[in-house]
Amino acid sequence: QVQLVESGGGLVQAGGSLRLSCAAYGRTFSDYSSGWFRQAPGKERESVAAISWNGGITYYADSVKGRFTVSRDNAKNTVYLQMNSLKPEDTAAYYCVADLRYGATMTSPDYWGQGTQVTVSS
């Protein structure tokens, strides 16, 4: 079992930046790939970024490519999502995820955090 706890959400103006953190508890986090999903009101949940267990492979949705950066520090059992040049359409609840399978972190991960709200004002 892996427990995931997100932090770092908040309200920011368009063009601003936020960094989300996800602390993992439980089993050896370095065994797991990880990533971030988001869900805006009235929209389906979507994968925005993923990172392999050692950080060697990353994935970004087209909508965030070039603006968001996913990274991890296995010594701290933490995954980060640096979000720059934020847009109002980035407003959503952001969820940290983890799975032993890298591919699953973008589709159907086994473990989810509780979510943190990001609101971008225009």
Side-chain angles (χ1 to χ4, degrees), residues 33-85:
S33 293
S34 186
W36 295 87
F37 276 65
R38 69 184 180 187
Q39 186 168 23
K43 295 188 176 181
E44 290 189 359
R45 195 170 289 184
E46 63 170 344
S47 172
V48 295
I51 187 166
S52 60
W53 68 274
N54 64 352
I57 303 172
T58 56
Y59 157 82
Y60 298 96
D62 287 344
S63 57
V64 307
K65 203 171 292 183
R67 300 187 298 122
F68 289 14
T69 302
V70 61
S71 62
R72 66 190 296 162
D73 185 341
N74 285 339
K76 296 182 178 180
N77 291 339
T78 302
V79 174
Y80 304 97
L81 185 67
Q82 178 67 44
M83 305 185 294
N84 299 327
S85 302

mmCIF file of all heavy atoms in Angstrom, residues 33-85:
data_model
loop_
_atom_site.group_PDB
_atom_site.id
_atom_site.type_symbol
_atom_site.label_atom_id
_atom_site.label_comp_id
_atom_site.label_asym_id
_atom_site.label_seq_id
_atom_site.Cartn_x
_atom_site.Cartn_y
_atom_site.Cartn_z
ATOM 1 N N SER A 33 6.268 4.033 -10.310
ATOM 2 C CA SER A 33 6.117 5.185 -11.178
ATOM 3 C C SER A 33 5.040 6.083 -10.584
ATOM 4 O O SER A 33 4.224 5.639 -9.768
ATOM 5 C CB SER A 33 5.714 4.744 -12.582
ATOM 6 O OG SER A 33 6.759 4.030 -13.197
ATOM 7 N N SER A 34 5.047 7.343 -10.992
ATOM 8 C CA SER A 34 4.105 8.285 -10.397
ATOM 9 C C SER A 34 3.645 9.282 -11.446
ATOM 10 O O SER A 34 4.122 9.265 -12.595
ATOM 11 C CB SER A 34 4.777 8.995 -9.221
ATOM 12 O OG SER A 34 3.848 9.815 -8.528
ATOM 13 N N GLY A 35 2.708 10.124 -11.057
ATOM 14 C CA GLY A 35 2.214 11.110 -12.015
ATOM 15 C C GLY A 35 1.139 11.985 -11.407
ATOM 16 O O GLY A 35 0.877 11.915 -10.205
ATOM 17 N N TRP A 36 0.546 12.788 -12.281
ATOM 18 C CA TRP A 36 -0.488 13.724 -11.863
ATOM 19 C C TRP A 36 -1.664 13.680 -12.834
ATOM 20 O O TRP A 36 -1.472 13.678 -14.059
ATOM 21 C CB TRP A 36 0.070 15.147 -11.820
ATOM 22 C CG TRP A 36 1.131 15.330 -10.788
ATOM 23 C CD1 TRP A 36 2.469 15.095 -10.936
ATOM 24 C CD2 TRP A 36 0.945 15.793 -9.452
ATOM 25 N NE1 TRP A 36 3.127 15.369 -9.764
ATOM 26 C CE2 TRP A 36 2.212 15.805 -8.834
ATOM 27 C CE3 TRP A 36 -0.156 16.192 -8.709
ATOM 28 C CZ2 TRP A 36 2.398 16.201 -7.514
ATOM 29 C CZ3 TRP A 36 0.020 16.597 -7.399
ATOM 30 C CH2 TRP A 36 1.285 16.605 -6.811
ATOM 31 N N PHE A 37 -2.855 13.651 -12.282
ATOM 32 C CA PHE A 37 -4.092 13.818 -13.019
ATOM 33 C C PHE A 37 -4.724 15.130 -12.574
ATOM 34 O O PHE A 37 -4.383 15.678 -11.521
ATOM 35 C CB PHE A 37 -5.080 12.681 -12.695
ATOM 36 C CG PHE A 37 -4.881 11.428 -13.496
ATOM 37 C CD1 PHE A 37 -3.729 10.670 -13.360
ATOM 38 C CD2 PHE A 37 -5.851 10.992 -14.387
ATOM 39 C CE1 PHE A 37 -3.548 9.504 -14.094
ATOM 40 C CE2 PHE A 37 -5.686 9.826 -15.121
ATOM 41 C CZ PHE A 37 -4.533 9.084 -14.965
ATOM 42 N N ARG A 38 -5.664 15.608 -13.365
ATOM 43 C CA ARG A 38 -6.464 16.750 -12.941
ATOM 44 C C ARG A 38 -7.898 16.565 -13.402
ATOM 45 O O ARG A 38 -8.169 15.857 -14.361
ATOM 46 C CB ARG A 38 -5.898 18.068 -13.466
ATOM 47 C CG ARG A 38 -6.011 18.256 -14.962
ATOM 48 C CD ARG A 38 -5.336 19.564 -15.373
ATOM 49 N NE ARG A 38 -5.422 19.800 -16.809
ATOM 50 C CZ ARG A 38 -4.808 20.800 -17.437
ATOM 51 N NH1 ARG A 38 -4.052 21.662 -16.747
ATOM 52 N NH2 ARG A 38 -4.956 20.937 -18.742
ATOM 53 N N GLN A 39 -8.804 17.238 -12.682
ATOM 54 C CA GLN A 39 -10.215 17.198 -13.049
ATOM 55 C C GLN A 39 -10.829 18.562 -12.807
ATOM 56 O O GLN A 39 -10.821 19.054 -11.669
ATOM 57 C CB GLN A 39 -10.974 16.129 -12.276
ATOM 58 C CG GLN A 39 -12.406 15.965 -12.749
ATOM 59 C CD GLN A 39 -13.061 14.720 -12.200
ATOM 60 O OE1 GLN A 39 -12.673 14.186 -11.170
ATOM 61 N NE2 GLN A 39 -14.071 14.234 -12.911
ATOM 62 N N ALA A 40 -11.326 19.141 -13.878
ATOM 63 C CA ALA A 40 -12.023 20.424 -13.792
ATOM 64 C C ALA A 40 -13.521 20.161 -13.650
ATOM 65 O O ALA A 40 -14.011 19.106 -14.070
ATOM 66 C CB ALA A 40 -11.733 21.256 -15.035
ATOM 67 N N PRO A 41 -14.275 21.105 -13.100
ATOM 68 C CA PRO A 41 -15.724 20.908 -12.943
ATOM 69 C C PRO A 41 -16.392 20.607 -14.270
ATOM 70 O O PRO A 41 -16.155 21.297 -15.269
ATOM 71 C CB PRO A 41 -16.189 22.249 -12.382
ATOM 72 C CG PRO A 41 -14.998 22.805 -11.696
ATOM 73 C CD PRO A 41 -13.823 22.367 -12.519
ATOM 74 N N GLY A 42 -17.179 19.548 -14.285
ATOM 75 C CA GLY A 42 -17.909 19.181 -15.485
ATOM 76 C C GLY A 42 -17.091 18.493 -16.551
ATOM 77 O O GLY A 42 -17.594 18.219 -17.641
ATOM 78 N N LYS A 43 -15.831 18.212 -16.256
ATOM 79 C CA LYS A 43 -14.958 17.561 -17.229
ATOM 80 C C LYS A 43 -14.443 16.239 -16.686
ATOM 81 O O LYS A 43 -14.442 15.993 -15.486
ATOM 82 C CB LYS A 43 -13.792 18.470 -17.599
ATOM 83 C CG LYS A 43 -14.197 19.733 -18.319
ATOM 84 C CD LYS A 43 -12.978 20.478 -18.820
ATOM 85 C CE LYS A 43 -13.382 21.707 -19.632
ATOM 86 N NZ LYS A 43 -12.194 22.437 -20.159
ATOM 87 N N GLU A 44 -13.992 15.398 -17.597
ATOM 88 C CA GLU A 44 -13.428 14.112 -17.196
ATOM 89 C C GLU A 44 -12.027 14.309 -16.602
ATOM 90 O O GLU A 44 -11.312 15.253 -16.947
ATOM 91 C CB GLU A 44 -13.342 13.170 -18.395
ATOM 92 C CG GLU A 44 -14.697 12.698 -18.883
ATOM 93 C CD GLU A 44 -14.576 11.603 -19.930
ATOM 94 O OE1 GLU A 44 -13.440 11.238 -20.282
ATOM 95 O OE2 GLU A 44 -15.620 11.124 -20.390
ATOM 96 N N ARG A 45 -11.663 13.380 -15.748
ATOM 97 C CA ARG A 45 -10.323 13.403 -15.194
ATOM 98 C C ARG A 45 -9.321 13.089 -16.294
ATOM 99 O O ARG A 45 -9.550 12.202 -17.127
ATOM 100 C CB ARG A 45 -10.233 12.366 -14.079
ATOM 101 C CG ARG A 45 -9.051 12.490 -13.179
ATOM 102 C CD ARG A 45 -9.190 11.570 -11.984
ATOM 103 N NE ARG A 45 -10.228 12.020 -11.053
ATOM 104 C CZ ARG A 45 -10.475 11.422 -9.893
ATOM 105 N NH1 ARG A 45 -9.794 10.354 -9.542
ATOM 106 N NH2 ARG A 45 -11.422 11.879 -9.108
ATOM 107 N N GLU A 46 -8.187 13.812 -16.338
ATOM 108 C CA GLU A 46 -7.188 13.591 -17.376
ATOM 109 C C GLU A 46 -5.794 13.521 -16.784
ATOM 110 O O GLU A 46 -5.473 14.198 -15.806
ATOM 111 C CB GLU A 46 -7.251 14.719 -18.425
ATOM 112 C CG GLU A 46 -6.919 16.092 -17.890
ATOM 113 C CD GLU A 46 -6.754 17.154 -18.975
ATOM 114 O OE1 GLU A 46 -6.597 16.794 -20.160
ATOM 115 O OE2 GLU A 46 -6.765 18.346 -18.625
ATOM 116 N N SER A 47 -4.961 12.714 -17.421
ATOM 117 C CA SER A 47 -3.563 12.623 -17.037
ATOM 118 C C SER A 47 -2.820 13.821 -17.602
ATOM 119 O O SER A 47 -2.980 14.156 -18.774
ATOM 120 C CB SER A 47 -2.963 11.331 -17.588
ATOM 121 O OG SER A 47 -1.575 11.309 -17.378
ATOM 122 N N VAL A 48 -2.011 14.471 -16.776
ATOM 123 C CA VAL A 48 -1.234 15.601 -17.267
ATOM 124 C C VAL A 48 0.264 15.324 -17.303
ATOM 125 O O VAL A 48 0.978 15.913 -18.114
ATOM 126 C CB VAL A 48 -1.491 16.882 -16.450
ATOM 127 C CG1 VAL A 48 -2.927 17.338 -16.609
ATOM 128 C CG2 VAL A 48 -1.173 16.705 -14.986
ATOM 129 N N ALA A 49 0.758 14.441 -16.434
ATOM 130 C CA ALA A 49 2.185 14.155 -16.402
ATOM 131 C C ALA A 49 2.431 12.826 -15.711
ATOM 132 O O ALA A 49 1.644 12.407 -14.856
ATOM 133 C CB ALA A 49 2.955 15.255 -15.687
ATOM 134 N N ALA A 50 3.530 12.172 -16.086
ATOM 135 C CA ALA A 50 3.923 10.916 -15.454
ATOM 136 C C ALA A 50 5.440 10.832 -15.434
ATOM 137 O O ALA A 50 6.123 11.455 -16.266
ATOM 138 C CB ALA A 50 3.328 9.720 -16.188
ATOM 139 N N ILE A 51 5.958 10.052 -14.489
ATOM 140 C CA ILE A 51 7.404 9.903 -14.354
ATOM 141 C C ILE A 51 7.710 8.492 -13.902
ATOM 142 O O ILE A 51 7.033 7.940 -13.033
ATOM 143 C CB ILE A 51 7.967 10.964 -13.379
ATOM 144 C CG1 ILE A 51 9.489 10.933 -13.360
ATOM 145 C CG2 ILE A 51 7.381 10.818 -11.991
ATOM 146 C CD1 ILE A 51 10.106 12.169 -12.693
ATOM 147 N N SER A 52 8.714 7.884 -14.508
ATOM 148 C CA SER A 52 9.084 6.519 -14.162
ATOM 149 C C SER A 52 9.761 6.473 -12.793
ATOM 150 O O SER A 52 10.086 7.508 -12.207
ATOM 151 C CB SER A 52 10.002 5.941 -15.229
ATOM 152 O OG SER A 52 11.189 6.723 -15.327
ATOM 153 N N TRP A 53 10.032 5.275 -12.316
ATOM 154 C CA TRP A 53 10.512 5.107 -10.942
ATOM 155 C C TRP A 53 11.820 5.847 -10.665
ATOM 156 O O TRP A 53 12.037 6.343 -9.562
ATOM 157 C CB TRP A 53 10.696 3.615 -10.636
ATOM 158 C CG TRP A 53 11.809 2.971 -11.410
ATOM 159 C CD1 TRP A 53 11.764 2.439 -12.659
ATOM 160 C CD2 TRP A 53 13.169 2.821 -10.974
ATOM 161 N NE1 TRP A 53 12.978 1.971 -13.041
ATOM 162 C CE2 TRP A 53 13.879 2.177 -12.020
ATOM 163 C CE3 TRP A 53 13.858 3.157 -9.814
ATOM 164 C CZ2 TRP A 53 15.227 1.875 -11.936
ATOM 165 C CZ3 TRP A 53 15.194 2.856 -9.716
ATOM 166 C CH2 TRP A 53 15.873 2.222 -10.778
ATOM 167 N N ASN A 54 12.674 5.959 -11.690
ATOM 168 C CA ASN A 54 13.963 6.624 -11.485
ATOM 169 C C ASN A 54 14.022 7.994 -12.166
ATOM 170 O O ASN A 54 15.084 8.617 -12.217
ATOM 171 C CB ASN A 54 15.093 5.760 -12.011
ATOM 172 C CG ASN A 54 15.023 5.539 -13.515
ATOM 173 O OD1 ASN A 54 14.046 5.912 -14.157
ATOM 174 N ND2 ASN A 54 16.052 4.925 -14.079
ATOM 175 N N GLY A 55 12.896 8.450 -12.690
ATOM 176 C CA GLY A 55 12.859 9.751 -13.346
ATOM 177 C C GLY A 55 13.374 9.753 -14.767
ATOM 178 O O GLY A 55 13.439 10.802 -15.403
ATOM 179 N N GLY A 56 13.735 8.590 -15.277
ATOM 180 C CA GLY A 56 14.337 8.531 -16.594
ATOM 181 C C GLY A 56 13.369 8.709 -17.749
ATOM 182 O O GLY A 56 13.780 9.052 -18.861
ATOM 183 N N ILE A 57 12.103 8.475 -17.485
ATOM 184 C CA ILE A 57 11.081 8.601 -18.530
ATOM 185 C C ILE A 57 9.988 9.519 -17.998
ATOM 186 O O ILE A 57 9.531 9.354 -16.857
ATOM 187 C CB ILE A 57 10.468 7.236 -18.888
ATOM 188 C CG1 ILE A 57 11.555 6.258 -19.331
ATOM 189 C CG2 ILE A 57 9.436 7.399 -20.005
ATOM 190 C CD1 ILE A 57 11.042 4.838 -19.522
ATOM 191 N N THR A 58 9.587 10.471 -18.814
ATOM 192 C CA THR A 58 8.496 11.361 -18.424
ATOM 193 C C THR A 58 7.495 11.481 -19.561
ATOM 194 O O THR A 58 7.809 11.237 -20.729
ATOM 195 C CB THR A 58 8.995 12.771 -18.061
ATOM 196 O OG1 THR A 58 9.743 13.308 -19.159
ATOM 197 C CG2 THR A 58 9.853 12.743 -16.808
ATOM 198 N N TYR A 59 6.292 11.848 -19.191
ATOM 199 C CA TYR A 59 5.196 12.053 -20.141
ATOM 200 C C TYR A 59 4.459 13.334 -19.768
ATOM 201 O O TYR A 59 4.313 13.638 -18.572
ATOM 202 C CB TYR A 59 4.220 10.877 -20.078
ATOM 203 C CG TYR A 59 2.833 11.234 -20.580
ATOM 204 C CD1 TYR A 59 2.551 11.233 -21.947
ATOM 205 C CD2 TYR A 59 1.835 11.613 -19.697
ATOM 206 C CE1 TYR A 59 1.293 11.589 -22.403
ATOM 207 C CE2 TYR A 59 0.577 11.964 -20.146
ATOM 208 C CZ TYR A 59 0.314 11.951 -21.497
ATOM 209 O OH TYR A 59 -0.924 12.312 -21.945
ATOM 210 N N TYR A 60 4.031 14.060 -20.798
ATOM 211 C CA TYR A 60 3.226 15.255 -20.585
ATOM 212 C C TYR A 60 2.074 15.278 -21.571
ATOM 213 O O TYR A 60 2.246 14.958 -22.749
ATOM 214 C CB TYR A 60 4.057 16.523 -20.768
ATOM 215 C CG TYR A 60 5.194 16.660 -19.783
ATOM 216 C CD1 TYR A 60 6.473 16.262 -20.120
ATOM 217 C CD2 TYR A 60 4.962 17.159 -18.506
ATOM 218 C CE1 TYR A 60 7.513 16.363 -19.206
ATOM 219 C CE2 TYR A 60 5.993 17.270 -17.588
ATOM 220 C CZ TYR A 60 7.263 16.862 -17.944
ATOM 221 O OH TYR A 60 8.292 16.972 -17.040
ATOM 222 N N ALA A 61 0.927 15.695 -21.096
ATOM 223 C CA ALA A 61 -0.179 15.944 -22.002
ATOM 224 C C ALA A 61 0.164 17.137 -22.892
ATOM 225 O O ALA A 61 0.897 18.037 -22.475
ATOM 226 C CB ALA A 61 -1.449 16.236 -21.206
ATOM 227 N N ASP A 62 -0.352 17.133 -24.086
ATOM 228 C CA ASP A 62 -0.067 18.220 -25.020
ATOM 229 C C ASP A 62 -0.445 19.582 -24.436
ATOM 230 O O ASP A 62 0.213 20.582 -24.689
ATOM 231 C CB ASP A 62 -0.811 17.998 -26.337
ATOM 232 C CG ASP A 62 -0.210 16.877 -27.160
ATOM 233 O OD1 ASP A 62 0.942 16.473 -26.888
ATOM 234 O OD2 ASP A 62 -0.903 16.392 -28.073
ATOM 235 N N SER A 63 -1.499 19.603 -23.639
ATOM 236 C CA SER A 63 -2.007 20.863 -23.106
ATOM 237 C C SER A 63 -1.057 21.521 -22.103
ATOM 238 O O SER A 63 -1.178 22.713 -21.823
ATOM 239 C CB SER A 63 -3.371 20.645 -22.455
ATOM 240 O OG SER A 63 -3.288 19.661 -21.432
ATOM 241 N N VAL A 64 -0.114 20.752 -21.560
ATOM 242 C CA VAL A 64 0.794 21.307 -20.551
ATOM 243 C C VAL A 64 2.250 21.242 -20.969
ATOM 244 O O VAL A 64 3.130 21.759 -20.263
ATOM 245 C CB VAL A 64 0.615 20.608 -19.188
ATOM 246 C CG1 VAL A 64 -0.843 20.635 -18.763
ATOM 247 C CG2 VAL A 64 1.146 19.182 -19.219
ATOM 248 N N LYS A 65 2.526 20.620 -22.097
ATOM 249 C CA LYS A 65 3.901 20.434 -22.548
ATOM 250 C C LYS A 65 4.593 21.784 -22.709
ATOM 251 O O LYS A 65 4.033 22.719 -23.278
ATOM 252 C CB LYS A 65 3.908 19.665 -23.869
ATOM 253 C CG LYS A 65 5.181 18.937 -24.185
ATOM 254 C CD LYS A 65 4.996 18.037 -25.390
ATOM 255 C CE LYS A 65 4.072 16.878 -25.098
ATOM 256 N NZ LYS A 65 3.943 15.945 -26.246
ATOM 257 N N GLY A 66 5.793 21.893 -22.163
ATOM 258 C CA GLY A 66 6.543 23.138 -22.230
ATOM 259 C C GLY A 66 6.251 24.085 -21.087
ATOM 260 O O GLY A 66 6.968 25.066 -20.892
ATOM 261 N N ARG A 67 5.195 23.802 -20.310
ATOM 262 C CA ARG A 67 4.846 24.674 -19.175
ATOM 263 C C ARG A 67 4.970 23.950 -17.834
ATOM 264 O O ARG A 67 5.301 24.580 -16.828
ATOM 265 C CB ARG A 67 3.405 25.181 -19.332
ATOM 266 C CG ARG A 67 3.168 25.985 -20.591
ATOM 267 C CD ARG A 67 1.774 26.596 -20.597
ATOM 268 N NE ARG A 67 0.720 25.599 -20.574
ATOM 269 C CZ ARG A 67 -0.228 25.524 -19.633
ATOM 270 N NH1 ARG A 67 -0.228 26.380 -18.629
ATOM 271 N NH2 ARG A 67 -1.157 24.582 -19.689
ATOM 272 N N PHE A 68 4.689 22.661 -17.821
ATOM 273 C CA PHE A 68 4.738 21.864 -16.586
ATOM 274 C C PHE A 68 5.964 20.958 -16.614
ATOM 275 O O PHE A 68 6.357 20.457 -17.667
ATOM 276 C CB PHE A 68 3.494 20.993 -16.451
ATOM 277 C CG PHE A 68 2.218 21.729 -16.139
ATOM 278 C CD1 PHE A 68 2.122 23.112 -16.258
ATOM 279 C CD2 PHE A 68 1.085 21.020 -15.748
ATOM 280 C CE1 PHE A 68 0.944 23.782 -15.989
ATOM 281 C CE2 PHE A 68 -0.106 21.671 -15.470
ATOM 282 C CZ PHE A 68 -0.172 23.054 -15.592
ATOM 283 N N THR A 69 6.528 20.713 -15.434
ATOM 284 C CA THR A 69 7.660 19.800 -15.302
ATOM 285 C C THR A 69 7.413 18.877 -14.115
ATOM 286 O O THR A 69 7.181 19.357 -12.999
ATOM 287 C CB THR A 69 8.975 20.551 -15.097
ATOM 288 O OG1 THR A 69 9.191 21.440 -16.198
ATOM 289 C CG2 THR A 69 10.140 19.570 -15.011
ATOM 290 N N VAL A 70 7.475 17.572 -14.355
ATOM 291 C CA VAL A 70 7.336 16.595 -13.286
ATOM 292 C C VAL A 70 8.729 16.107 -12.889
ATOM 293 O O VAL A 70 9.604 15.915 -13.753
ATOM 294 C CB VAL A 70 6.430 15.421 -13.717
ATOM 295 C CG1 VAL A 70 6.994 14.664 -14.914
ATOM 296 C CG2 VAL A 70 6.158 14.487 -12.544
ATOM 297 N N SER A 71 8.937 15.940 -11.600
ATOM 298 C CA SER A 71 10.220 15.456 -11.101
ATOM 299 C C SER A 71 9.979 14.681 -9.808
ATOM 300 O O SER A 71 8.873 14.693 -9.263
ATOM 301 C CB SER A 71 11.184 16.618 -10.856
ATOM 302 O OG SER A 71 10.667 17.497 -9.873
ATOM 303 N N ARG A 72 11.009 14.010 -9.347
ATOM 304 C CA ARG A 72 10.874 13.253 -8.105
ATOM 305 C C ARG A 72 12.188 13.219 -7.353
ATOM 306 O O ARG A 72 13.263 13.306 -7.956
ATOM 307 C CB ARG A 72 10.380 11.837 -8.379
ATOM 308 C CG ARG A 72 11.328 10.956 -9.152
ATOM 309 C CD ARG A 72 10.619 9.659 -9.572
ATOM 310 N NE ARG A 72 10.239 8.858 -8.411
ATOM 311 C CZ ARG A 72 9.316 7.891 -8.479
ATOM 312 N NH1 ARG A 72 8.694 7.637 -9.621
ATOM 313 N NH2 ARG A 72 9.027 7.192 -7.386
ATOM 314 N N ASP A 73 12.079 13.072 -6.045
ATOM 315 C CA ASP A 73 13.231 12.900 -5.170
ATOM 316 C C ASP A 73 12.944 11.647 -4.347
ATOM 317 O O ASP A 73 12.193 11.708 -3.354
ATOM 318 C CB ASP A 73 13.402 14.129 -4.279
ATOM 319 C CG ASP A 73 14.646 14.063 -3.423
ATOM 320 O OD1 ASP A 73 15.177 12.955 -3.237
ATOM 321 O OD2 ASP A 73 15.075 15.104 -2.938
ATOM 322 N N ASN A 74 13.501 10.537 -4.746
ATOM 323 C CA ASN A 74 13.198 9.271 -4.064
ATOM 324 C C ASN A 74 13.746 9.249 -2.642
ATOM 325 O O ASN A 74 13.214 8.544 -1.783
ATOM 326 C CB ASN A 74 13.741 8.094 -4.861
ATOM 327 C CG ASN A 74 12.894 7.797 -6.085
ATOM 328 O OD1 ASN A 74 11.733 8.180 -6.170
ATOM 329 N ND2 ASN A 74 13.490 7.120 -7.059
ATOM 330 N N ALA A 75 14.790 10.009 -2.378
ATOM 331 C CA ALA A 75 15.322 10.071 -1.011
ATOM 332 C C ALA A 75 14.313 10.727 -0.068
ATOM 333 O O ALA A 75 14.314 10.445 1.136
ATOM 334 C CB ALA A 75 16.627 10.844 -0.989
ATOM 335 N N LYS A 76 13.453 11.585 -0.619
ATOM 336 C CA LYS A 76 12.435 12.256 0.174
ATOM 337 C C LYS A 76 11.048 11.664 -0.061
ATOM 338 O O LYS A 76 10.060 12.188 0.468
ATOM 339 C CB LYS A 76 12.415 13.748 -0.146
ATOM 340 C CG LYS A 76 13.687 14.478 0.217
ATOM 341 C CD LYS A 76 13.583 15.969 -0.088
ATOM 342 C CE LYS A 76 14.850 16.701 0.321
ATOM 343 N NZ LYS A 76 14.767 18.156 0.029
ATOM 344 N N ASN A 77 10.965 10.612 -0.871
ATOM 345 C CA ASN A 77 9.663 9.994 -1.188
ATOM 346 C C ASN A 77 8.654 11.036 -1.659
ATOM 347 O O ASN A 77 7.494 11.047 -1.232
ATOM 348 C CB ASN A 77 9.103 9.253 0.032
ATOM 349 C CG ASN A 77 9.898 8.013 0.378
ATOM 350 O OD1 ASN A 77 10.607 7.479 -0.458
ATOM 351 N ND2 ASN A 77 9.787 7.573 1.611
ATOM 352 N N THR A 78 9.099 11.891 -2.557
ATOM 353 C CA THR A 78 8.266 13.012 -2.984
ATOM 354 C C THR A 78 8.331 13.184 -4.495
ATOM 355 O O THR A 78 9.405 13.033 -5.098
ATOM 356 C CB THR A 78 8.692 14.308 -2.291
ATOM 357 O OG1 THR A 78 8.606 14.134 -0.868
ATOM 358 C CG2 THR A 78 7.789 15.469 -2.688
ATOM 359 N N VAL A 79 7.174 13.498 -5.067
ATOM 360 C CA VAL A 79 7.060 13.840 -6.481
ATOM 361 C C VAL A 79 6.568 15.279 -6.570
ATOM 362 O O VAL A 79 5.756 15.714 -5.742
ATOM 363 C CB VAL A 79 6.079 12.900 -7.203
ATOM 364 C CG1 VAL A 79 5.855 13.338 -8.641
ATOM 365 C CG2 VAL A 79 6.589 11.481 -7.158
ATOM 366 N N TYR A 80 7.041 15.991 -7.583
ATOM 367 C CA TYR A 80 6.697 17.401 -7.735
ATOM 368 C C TYR A 80 6.082 17.640 -9.108
ATOM 369 O O TYR A 80 6.354 16.927 -10.066
ATOM 370 C CB TYR A 80 7.944 18.264 -7.614
ATOM 371 C CG TYR A 80 8.714 18.063 -6.330
ATOM 372 C CD1 TYR A 80 9.815 17.208 -6.292
ATOM 373 C CD2 TYR A 80 8.337 18.707 -5.161
ATOM 374 C CE1 TYR A 80 10.525 17.004 -5.124
ATOM 375 C CE2 TYR A 80 9.043 18.517 -3.983
ATOM 376 C CZ TYR A 80 10.135 17.659 -3.974
ATOM 377 O OH TYR A 80 10.827 17.466 -2.804
ATOM 378 N N LEU A 81 5.279 18.681 -9.175
ATOM 379 C CA LEU A 81 4.783 19.175 -10.452
ATOM 380 C C LEU A 81 4.974 20.690 -10.449
ATOM 381 O O LEU A 81 4.252 21.404 -9.751
ATOM 382 C CB LEU A 81 3.316 18.818 -10.675
ATOM 383 C CG LEU A 81 2.770 19.203 -12.052
ATOM 384 C CD1 LEU A 81 3.442 18.364 -13.148
ATOM 385 C CD2 LEU A 81 1.250 19.025 -12.121
ATOM 386 N N GLN A 82 5.965 21.144 -11.199
ATOM 387 C CA GLN A 82 6.207 22.572 -11.354
ATOM 388 C C GLN A 82 5.343 23.071 -12.495
ATOM 389 O O GLN A 82 5.445 22.581 -13.624
ATOM 390 C CB GLN A 82 7.682 22.839 -11.643
ATOM 391 C CG GLN A 82 8.018 24.291 -11.874
ATOM 392 C CD GLN A 82 7.848 25.147 -10.628
ATOM 393 O OE1 GLN A 82 8.259 24.745 -9.539
ATOM 394 N NE2 GLN A 82 7.239 26.318 -10.766
ATOM 395 N N MET A 83 4.494 24.045 -12.203
ATOM 396 C CA MET A 83 3.556 24.568 -13.193
ATOM 397 C C MET A 83 3.863 26.035 -13.441
ATOM 398 O O MET A 83 3.748 26.861 -12.527
ATOM 399 C CB MET A 83 2.121 24.396 -12.698
ATOM 400 C CG MET A 83 1.774 22.954 -12.324
ATOM 401 S SD MET A 83 0.048 22.744 -11.867
ATOM 402 C CE MET A 83 -0.019 23.704 -10.376
ATOM 403 N N ASN A 84 4.270 26.350 -14.656
ATOM 404 C CA ASN A 84 4.595 27.720 -15.050
ATOM 405 C C ASN A 84 3.614 28.202 -16.114
ATOM 406 O O ASN A 84 2.924 27.405 -16.745
ATOM 407 C CB ASN A 84 6.018 27.791 -15.583
ATOM 408 C CG ASN A 84 7.058 27.387 -14.557
ATOM 409 O OD1 ASN A 84 6.889 27.617 -13.358
ATOM 410 N ND2 ASN A 84 8.146 26.800 -15.022
ATOM 411 N N SER A 85 3.586 29.502 -16.318
ATOM 412 C CA SER A 85 2.723 30.110 -17.343
ATOM 413 C C SER A 85 1.304 29.583 -17.232
ATOM 414 O O SER A 85 0.694 29.177 -18.226
ATOM 415 C CB SER A 85 3.288 29.822 -18.742
ATOM 416 O OG SER A 85 4.604 30.315 -18.870
#
